[in-house]
Each structure stands twice: as structure tokens, then as C-alpha cells.
Amino acid sequence: VFISAPAANTGAIYIGDADVSTTRGIEMAKGTTLRLDAPEGQFLDLYNMWVDAATNSDDFNVSYLVKVN
């Protein structure tokens, strides 16, 4: 999973659980990308991942790969 905060954003975005906020979560500065890898043989559940932005109009992008057998 790749989560990106576009360089055009005004402020940071924050990644976390349902309680994420600008004071609680992983802070990502604009123009950065965070890579999250699942342990071997497991997966990441995006359903439990939440994003908050310091500025209401800021964006984020999520990209992921699906393993096909």
C-alpha cells in the first residue's frame, strides 16, 4: 500500500485508526509517500485505515497491489 500526500497540499495529512486526528496519527508532510507492507502470507485491511487532513481541501492518494494466484 502506498499513501501519498500531494505536493500541492497546504498542510500535512495524518494516517491512523478511526480516532486519527491532527494530534493523533502518523504525520505525512506534503509531497511525501508512505509505503506499508503486509507481513509474508498476510494482508493489510484498508477498511481499518483512516486519513485526516490539517486543511479541509487537501487530498491524499492510495495505491495498492493485489496478488493474483
Side-chain angles (χ1 to χ4, degrees):
V1 175
F2 297 92
I3 302 171
S4 300
N9 280 359
T10 302
I13 63 169
Y14 301 83
I15 311 299
D17 60 16
D19 296 323
V20 69
S21 69
T22 57
T23 59
R24 186 175 181 278
I26 299 169
E27 181 178 347
M28 291 183 59
K30 61 183 180 176
T32 62
T33 299
L34 174 67
R35 177 180 170 175
L36 302 172
D37 292 315
E40 184 67 35
Q42 297 183 23
F43 64 94
L44 295 175
D45 189 350
L46 297 179
Y47 180 82
N48 294 316
M49 193 174 299
W50 295 77
V51 178
D52 190 22
T55 304
N56 287 339
S57 61
D58 282 352
D59 294 322
F60 69 96
N61 302 305
V62 175
S63 303
Y64 60 92
L65 302 172
V66 176
K67 181 178 180 182
V68 178
N69 292 328

